[in-house]
Amino acid sequence: TRSLLRSPKGFPELKNDTFLRAARGEETEHTPVWCMRQAGRYLPEFRETRASQDFFATCRSPKLCCELTLQPLRRFPLDAAIIFSDILVVPQALGMEVVMVPGKGPTFTEPLKEVEDLLKLRQKVDVTAELGYVFQAITLTRHSLEGKVPLIGFSGAPWTLMSYMIEGGGSTTMSKAKSWLYRHPEASHRLLRLLADVIIDYLVGQVAAGAQALQLFESHAGHLGPELFQDFALPYIRDIAQAVKSKLKEEALPLVPMIIFAKDAHYALRDLAHAGYEVVGLDWTIWPQEARAQIGKHVTLQGNLDPCALYAPKEKIGELVKKMLESFGTQRYIANLGHGLYPDMNPEHVGAFVEAVHAHSRHINKH
C-alpha cells in the first residue's frame, strides 16, 4: 500500500506559483504574501465553522480543515494557503493527551515530569496511522484549491514541542522545560531525537499527500539563549531539513522548498541561513537590512511586519508595507507578518495588508 499512497494524485495544474518561485530564489513580478494563522478566529466564517466543534476534533476532520484553509483565500488574493492544523498533533501521535481549554489554550492532561515519563511515549510512530487525517486534509485541500495557489504543510520543531510537553501548556519562562536541558541533557536529547524522527516522517508524508512547501515552527526559540539553541535546537532543525530532502529523493517525491521560522532567534540567523532551508522566516524584532546582511543573498527571507501593525488605519498599513518592501527588496522575499494574526483583528485590515504588498511590490519592480 505504501507505493499506492505515494502515487501522484492527479492534482489540478498550479496557476499562481509566485510564492514557490520566490522561495526558490527565482524572479517574481510581485512579492508573494501569506499570513501565519490566516485561517483563524479573526474571520467570522471561521468562528461559525468552528463554533460547535472541539478544537482537536476539527483538526481530525479533513473536510473541516479543508474548509478552514480555503476561507481566507475566498476573501483575499493571498499567494499561498497553509493547511489548517496544529503543531500539537505530533505529541498526540506520541500518545500524549492534549485538550483545548477555553480561555487557557492547549493543555496536556499529563505533562512529562520525570525522565521515566519518556517511557510512556510511543517509541515508534506510524505517521499514516496516527496522523493520516492531516494527510487526507492536505490531499482534499490540494484538489479543492483547484490550482489557485500552492499549499503549505507544517510541523512544530522538536524544542518547541518538547517545551509544551513538559510545561503542559503555554508558559512565560519555560523554566520547567529548560530545567530539563540543564538537569537531564541526555534525556532531553533522547526526547528531541524521538520528536525529530516523527517530524521527518510527518513532513515527508505531507509532501506525499500534496503539500507544495513545508514550514518548521520553532516558536519557542526566544526562550533559549545562543548556547542552548546551538546544543538543543539547531542540530535537530538541520537534521530535519537534510533527512526530509533525502527521503523525498528516495521516494521520488517533489523536492519542495522548506521554511524555518525560529521566533526571536535573531542571535542565530547566520546558523539558520546555513541550516538547509530555502527560506528563513523572521519575526518583527529585527531590522530587515540587518537580517539580509546576516543571512546573505542565497536564502529567501519571509516576514516580518509586526502583527499589531494591522490595528493601524489602512493608509498607515500601506505605508508600513511600502517601507518593509523597500528594506527587504522585492526579490528573494516573501511578505508575511512576524507572527500569526490575532483573533480580534479586522479582516479588512488583513485585506489592506495583502493588497499593499501586491501594489507596492509591482510599483517598485516597474521603476
Side-chain angles (χ1 to χ4, degrees):
T1 56
R2 191 146 170 97
S3 61
L4 274 177
L5 285 175
R6 304 285 156 170
S7 64
K9 298 187 168 65
F11 291 123
E13 203 173 323
L14 186 58
K15 299 183 187 94
N16 170 6
D17 67 346
T18 315
F19 163 81
L20 294 178
R21 290 212 313 274
R24 292 192 293 257
E26 296 162 19
E27 207 172 314
T28 60
E29 284 92 74
H30 68 265
T31 296
V33 55
W34 67 281
C35 299
M36 288 185 273
R37 241 181 265 142
Q38 63 192 28
R41 282 178 293 174
Y42 73 101
L43 290 176
E45 58 270 38
F46 178 95
R47 294 197 295 272
E48 227 163 274
T49 310
R50 277 267 304 107
S52 61
Q53 282 278 359
D54 165 70
F55 178 80
F56 286 108
T58 306
C59 291
R60 286 189 288 273
S61 160
K63 214 169 121 213
L64 286 175
C65 290
C66 175
E67 168 57 22
L68 295 169
T69 303
L70 296 178
Q71 284 175 352
L73 296 161
R74 296 188 190 120
R75 279 193 185 238
F76 316 117
L78 294 154
D79 293 288
I82 182 163
I83 193 67
F84 176 81
S85 186
D86 193 88
I87 63 171
L88 299 181
V89 298
V90 170
Q92 287 177 334
L94 287 166
M96 293 189 81
E97 194 191 355
V98 192
V99 292
M100 196 56 83
V101 177
K104 189 180 171 206
T107 306
F108 285 74
T109 51
E110 289 184 46
L112 304 173
K113 289 197 168 76
E114 305 301 331
V115 170
E116 297 77 62
D117 293 343
L118 293 182
L119 299 172
K120 296 180 191 167
L121 299 174
R122 270 190 199 107
Q123 301 305 306
K124 267 271 168 264
V125 174
D126 174 348
V127 291
T128 307
E130 299 300 330
L131 296 166
Y133 59 87
V134 179
F135 303 156
Q136 288 165 14
I138 287 173
T139 303
L140 178 62
T141 306
R142 179 78 190 273
H143 282 296
S144 307
L145 275 167
E146 296 173 334
K148 197 172 170 181
V149 293
L151 179 60
I152 304 168
F154 70 90
S155 174
W159 154 249
T160 294
L161 295 178
M162 170 182 173
S163 62
Y164 272 114
M165 290 158 77
I166 294 171
E167 296 290 340
S171 156
T172 50
T173 59
M174 295 292 158
S175 59
K176 287 181 194 156
K178 283 177 73 177
S179 82
W180 273 53
L181 305 180
Y182 286 109
R183 291 186 307 143
H184 313 303
E186 291 82 10
S188 296
H189 279 299
R190 269 210 316 279
L191 175 54
L192 292 162
R193 180 73 263 159
L194 177 63
L195 284 161
D197 290 342
V198 177
I199 290 162
I200 290 159
D201 287 346
Y202 181 44
L203 290 174
V204 171
Q206 291 186 46
V207 176
Q212 290 154 291
L214 297 168
Q215 177 153 313
L216 190 68
F217 284 88
E218 188 70 280
S219 312
H220 295 167
H223 291 280
L224 302 176
E227 242 175 78
L228 287 179
F229 187 84
Q230 286 248 302
D231 288 348
F232 294 100
L234 188 64
Y236 300 98
I237 288 171
R238 282 195 186 121
D239 187 50
I240 287 166
Q242 199 184 346
V244 166
K245 285 175 182 179
S246 73
K247 285 197 175 200
L248 291 175
K249 270 192 194 133
E250 260 168 52
E251 307 203 9
L253 287 164
L255 276 176
V256 302
M258 294 179 72
I259 308 163
I260 175 66
F261 175 62
K263 191 174 173 292
D264 298 324
H266 23 71
Y267 54 78
L269 288 182
R270 281 198 171 85
D271 287 326
L272 291 168
H274 298 104
Y277 294 76
E278 286 69 27
V279 183
V280 172
L282 304 165
D283 61 71
W284 69 91
T285 63
I286 183 144
W287 291 104
Q289 296 92 328
E290 175 62 24
R292 186 62 85 184
Q294 287 199 45
I295 286 172
K297 291 190 170 65
H298 302 297
V299 176
T300 295
L301 298 182
Q302 174 177 283
N304 79 338
L305 190 72
D306 182 351
C308 290
L310 297 192
Y311 294 122
K314 289 186 199 170
E315 315 72 72
K316 177 71 174 163
I317 293 171
E319 288 164 33
L320 292 167
V321 164
K322 181 169 181 274
K323 199 170 149 194
M324 180 171 81
L325 285 160
E326 286 165 352
S327 304
F328 277 109
T330 59
Q331 301 298 320
R332 261 218 179 277
Y333 173 55
I334 296 160
N336 204 319
L337 304 172
H339 198 217
L341 287 159
Y342 301 143
D344 63 347
M345 285 179 163
N346 182 341
E348 284 180 27
H349 288 223
V350 178
F353 167 65
V354 173
E355 275 148 35
V357 170
H358 287 163
H360 289 300
S361 62
R362 282 200 175 98
H363 184 79
I364 294 169
N365 286 342
K366 273 203 188 87
H367 301 277

